[in-house]
Amino acid sequence: KQEVTQIPAALSVPEGENLVLNCSFTDSAIYNLQWFRQDPGKGLTSLLLIQSSQREQTSGRLNASLDKSSGRSTLYIAASQPGDSATYLCAVSLISGGYNKLIFGAGTRLAVHP
Amino acid sequence: NAGVTQTPKFRVLKTGQSMTLLCAQDMNHEYMYWYRQDPGMGLRLIHYSVGEGTTAKGEVPDGYNVSRLKKQNFLLGLESAAPSQTSVYFCASTNYRNTEAFFGQGTRLTVV
């Protein structure tokens, strides 16, 4: 059974720091991995999608890497800002029971203080 | 760019009442999903659809029904609401297997 774990569960950093969020999964037979951002009381916003054949994706100050063989992904946020404060979720996509199944981690709650 | 739209955004129900949550997507996506999000439980799949006219059960389907009569719409029904169904419900859509998933803004449902 695929399980997705995110470490740490919560993180508080001063503005300007570079930080790394971790995501691990138990089954390497995935189609892709997606990082989402969720603001309090809001929906999920897709940040980055990494296909299983890719090693990393970049968007602005965000960089996500994927190591399928070790079952790990990291989300790197450069020069963090208070506006980055949110919960970050990773999800792996795989075929299970005949459908494209997204399995989520519990998230990392990030607080960036001025 | 509407993307995925959920209706309503908030609702309070009394135990035993019924309601339908509507999800609409304008991206011509084949796959649509209903999730619920609860504190400490993460996102759990209720039902999903791989195309118009198809539906299937996810991880926590009991107490819910769904319909996909049109490709762009996915309806989630609660026939007899229970306090355990108090949650935030999210709809999502994606196309085939390797593409990005898009989520609606959620429906916050309270059953009293």
Side-chain angles (χ1 to χ4, degrees):
Chain A
K1 178 185 175 184
Q2 178 74 270
E3 293 183 358
V4 180
T5 304
Q6 291 188 245
I7 295 173
L11 186 62
S12 180
V13 300
E15 182 176 5
E17 272 202 10
N18 302 323
L19 53 99
V20 175
L21 308 182
N22 297 293
C23 173
S24 62
F25 47 95
T26 54
D27 187 345
S28 62
I30 64 171
Y31 275 97
N32 60 50
L33 185 145
Q34 199 165 351
W35 283 93
F36 294 89
R37 168 185 173 139
Q38 186 175 27
D39 293 288
K42 303 293 184 182
L44 281 69
T45 300
S46 179
L47 297 173
L48 289 164
L49 171 71
I50 312 176
Q51 304 292 354
S52 60
S53 58
Q54 296 175 323
R55 298 285 292 183
E56 66 177 339
Q57 282 288 336
T58 298
S59 176
R61 294 182 293 109
L62 304 180
N63 175 275
S65 67
L66 174 64
D67 184 342
K68 265 186 58 175
S69 60
S70 66
R72 293 180 181 181
S73 176
T74 61
L75 178 66
Y76 176 82
I77 302 177
S80 59
Q81 303 171 357
D84 294 330
S85 298
T87 296
Y88 291 81
L89 297 158
C90 72
V92 296
S93 171
L94 66 157
I95 297 297
S96 175
Y99 72 98
N100 183 5
K101 187 174 184 177
L102 275 178
I103 301 177
F104 285 84
T108 293
R109 192 168 62 255
L110 173 66
V112 181
H113 49 88
Chain B
N1 289 345
V4 179
T5 304
Q6 291 182 232
T7 311
K9 291 184 172 49
F10 304 93
R11 186 72 184 269
V12 178
L13 284 180
K14 293 182 179 178
T15 297
Q17 286 185 321
S18 63
M19 78 164 294
T20 300
L21 282 68
L22 171 64
C23 176
Q25 53 95 3
D26 60 2
M27 296 171 283
N28 202 34
H29 283 172
E30 294 292 333
Y31 293 16
M32 295 186 76
Y33 311 81
W34 276 107
Y35 290 87
R36 60 179 289 173
Q37 186 178 39
D38 303 288
M41 303 290 288
L43 279 149
R44 294 181 291 170
L45 182 66
I46 306 171
H47 284 282
Y48 66 97
S49 169
V50 299
E52 181 178 320
T54 74
T55 63
K57 295 179 180 180
E59 303 169 73
V60 289
D62 294 341
Y64 305 95
N65 57 74
V66 287
S67 65
R68 184 106 180 261
L69 298 180
K70 294 183 179 180
K71 186 177 184 179
Q72 63 268 32
N73 295 337
F74 195 28
L75 278 63
L76 177 70
L78 286 75
E79 291 186 346
S80 179
S84 62
Q85 293 177 305
T86 293
S87 186
V88 181
Y89 292 85
F90 288 101
C91 175
S93 72
T94 186
N95 216 5
Y96 307 115
R97 299 178 179 179
N98 280 334
T99 59
E100 193 174 3
F102 292 85
F103 280 76
Q105 289 301 297
T107 296
R108 187 172 296 275
L109 175 66
T110 303
V111 183
V112 298

